[in-house]
Amino acid sequence: MDPSIEPMSRVRAIDTEITHVWMVRTFLKHCDEAEDDEDLRDIVRDLYDFILAVGPVDEVEDPAVYLKLAKKKVSKLRKATELYEAIQPEVSGHTNFVMAARSLRTAVDRIAHWISS
């Protein structure tokens, strides 16, 4: 862990990436394809679970607690991302779905980076 990076700065960086996870979650939640795809619904739930677990950045009183919880929950976030990347071509090849996969991967990789920094 890089001691030069303040814990609250890491929390804010993670929160910035969560905005991207939120938008992908919202897109997937409201797409027609989610009506008939249990895997997509599971992905939406897992993304929301991470977002809900860490909570809003404005309510963070102890960055160490936030980072510990984020570290605990990141594996589920990674698995949801991997599942989406795996099923995305079957769900739809439309650019919106392709870009959602790329956006989610980028955000999750950055979240993992900030958790382990």
Side-chain angles (χ1 to χ4, degrees):
M1 194 177 315
D2 185 345
S4 67
I5 302 172
E6 294 287 329
M8 197 60 200
S9 295
R10 293 170 50 212
V11 168
R12 286 188 193 99
I14 291 167
D15 187 66
T16 297
E17 298 307 323
I18 286 174
T19 63
H20 300 281
V21 174
W22 181 269
M23 294 308 295
V24 170
R25 175 204 166 266
T26 300
F27 167 68
L28 295 176
K29 180 180 179 188
H30 296 291
C31 70
D32 292 338
E33 290 78 358
E35 291 176 23
D36 301 321
D37 193 314
E38 185 62 34
D39 284 338
L40 274 181
R41 291 193 300 273
D42 288 345
I43 291 164
V44 167
R45 280 191 291 273
D46 290 346
L47 299 181
Y48 186 73
D49 180 60
F50 181 86
I51 295 165
L52 186 63
V54 296
V57 72
D58 296 340
E59 296 177 11
V60 173
E61 294 178 17
D62 185 348
V65 170
Y66 178 102
L67 293 168
K68 183 178 179 179
L69 187 54
K71 186 174 186 174
K72 179 181 172 183
K73 293 286 190 174
V74 76
S75 66
K76 194 171 184 179
L77 185 62
R78 283 182 173 146
K79 287 177 186 172
T81 302
E82 290 166 6
L83 177 58
Y84 181 61
E85 289 173 324
I87 68 169
Q88 176 269 307
E90 299 166 21
V91 172
S92 176
H94 190 280
T95 304
N96 290 345
F97 289 87
V98 173
M99 296 306 271
R102 290 176 59 191
S103 181
L104 184 58
R105 167 54 59 201
T106 301
V108 170
D109 286 351
R110 289 179 181 165
I111 288 169
H113 166 78
W114 288 115
I115 288 170
S116 64
S117 289

